[in-house]
Amino acid sequence: MRYAGGRTRDGGRFATHGLRYDLVGLHSVNARGQVRMRLRADSLPAAHLACAPRGALAALVEFTDIAPVAVRDRVRARVTLSGRLTRSGQDTGADEVDLRLDAARATLATPETR
């Protein structure tokens, strides 16, 4: 799986099966700290997941914190989560699927740690 992360201000990105998706307005974090994504049922990630062995896909999620003002290094922090993407079992309708990332690894990068 390859992923070239990008800078997003109001969300993040995730990658699976070599494809990348913006998560702006499509993700949330529940009380247990799990990243949840609500996607269209006819989207490519939902189709890949429907055909996946054991109902899970390897996935990478990246969130980037960008300073709201123009400064030399606007990226304040980047969090990368890797794990398995599965259906959460809480779909709200036939046209959407609710997915959950079961994170296996988390990485935090800040200007001081890069």
Side-chain angles (χ1 to χ4, degrees):
M1 171 177 51
R2 288 185 54 191
Y3 177 64
R7 296 179 182 198
T8 58
R9 173 175 281 172
D10 298 315
R13 287 189 172 185
F14 88 96
T16 187
H17 270 254
L19 304 171
R20 291 175 292 190
Y21 305 91
D22 285 330
L23 290 176
V24 176
L26 300 175
H27 75 284
S28 63
V29 179
N30 66 16
R32 296 178 59 194
Q34 295 173 319
V35 176
R36 306 287 286 271
M37 296 170 242
R38 186 160 306 232
L39 303 177
R40 293 175 42 100
D42 62 354
S43 65
L44 278 175
H48 286 290
L49 190 57
C51 299
R54 295 180 295 276
L57 292 174
L60 186 71
V61 177
E62 182 179 82
F63 296 99
T64 304
D65 179 28
I66 299 176
V69 296
V71 293
R72 189 174 64 138
D73 188 4
R74 292 189 62 203
V75 176
R76 297 186 291 193
R78 181 171 287 138
V79 175
T80 304
L81 304 171
S82 61
R84 307 295 289 171
L85 191 62
T86 61
R87 289 182 82 138
S88 71
Q90 298 183 10
D91 298 344
T92 59
D95 58 339
E96 290 184 330
V97 292
D98 191 66
L99 308 178
R100 177 186 73 228
L101 178 72
D102 294 323
R105 181 179 174 165
T107 306
L108 172 66
T110 64
E112 293 80 28
T113 62
R114 284 188 251 160

